[in-house]
Amino acid sequence: MHTSIMMSLLFVLGIAGLAGCATTAPQTLVQSALADTHLGWQPAPENQLAFSVATATGIARVELRPLPRELHTLTLELPGMRKVEGVQWRGDDGGHSMLFDGSGGPDGVSLQSRGHGFRLQIKGAALDLVRGGGMLTVIDYYRG
């Protein structure tokens, strides 16, 4: 699995481009919070932010800065993940929420299988929940 994740990461980094958030460079909005969580930037339409996360441990953690008001969709590609068990959010204000619990989540959160990984998309009320900044944690099924 480690080789698969690293190959996916190299592919992601090879095609990474600028995200389409019109007023702010995407690299100032999202950063890795774990040493083994690697980010790659994806092309995105205007007013959207898209990036990829690869990890060898099955737990990816990224820190989001406050997101601009004009941003209306956040997309996270998760190459190499086999079965996402949960997506947790902890805001800078101390609030927290389970965005995905293995079977579903609040309106505005969708998780789609993409062959060798997943795509997490956050918009609407769910995006408003994370807009103020905080920590996003994705937990993949990982059993040694």
Side-chain angles (χ1 to χ4, degrees):
M1 176 164 160
H2 180 68
T3 303
S4 171
I5 290 171
M6 293 312 294
M7 288 175 50
S8 295
L9 174 62
L10 292 174
F11 176 74
V12 166
L13 292 176
I15 64 169
L18 291 178
C21 187
T23 60
T24 308
Q27 292 87 343
T28 64
L29 296 176
V30 183
Q31 69 178 3
S32 173
L34 290 176
D36 80 325
T37 300
H38 305 282
L39 298 176
W41 302 103
Q42 299 291 308
E46 189 173 357
N47 297 326
Q48 296 191 28
L49 176 61
F51 60 99
S52 296
V53 171
T55 179
T57 62
I59 297 176
R61 187 170 287 153
V62 293
E63 181 182 346
L64 272 69
R65 304 264 195 261
L67 301 173
R69 277 277 161 223
E70 62 272 6
L71 185 75
H72 58 78
T73 304
L74 174 65
T75 303
L76 176 58
E77 298 287 342
L78 303 162
M81 290 199 169
R82 295 188 282 175
K83 181 180 183 244
V84 174
E85 291 182 339
V87 178
Q88 301 171 354
W89 173 254
R90 179 164 306 278
D92 285 343
D93 62 1
H96 57 87
S97 178
M98 186 66 106
L99 297 179
F100 181 79
D101 64 4
S103 62
D107 287 341
V109 176
S110 66
L111 185 74
Q112 303 101 25
S113 178
R114 311 251 321 145
H116 293 290
F118 289 86
R119 172 183 282 166
L120 174 70
Q121 199 162 63
I122 303 172
K123 52 174 100 172
L127 182 61
D128 289 338
L129 178 69
V130 304
R131 190 176 301 278
M135 194 70 62
L136 183 69
T137 304
V138 180
I139 303 164
D140 190 33
Y141 176 83
Y142 184 80
R143 304 292 185 258

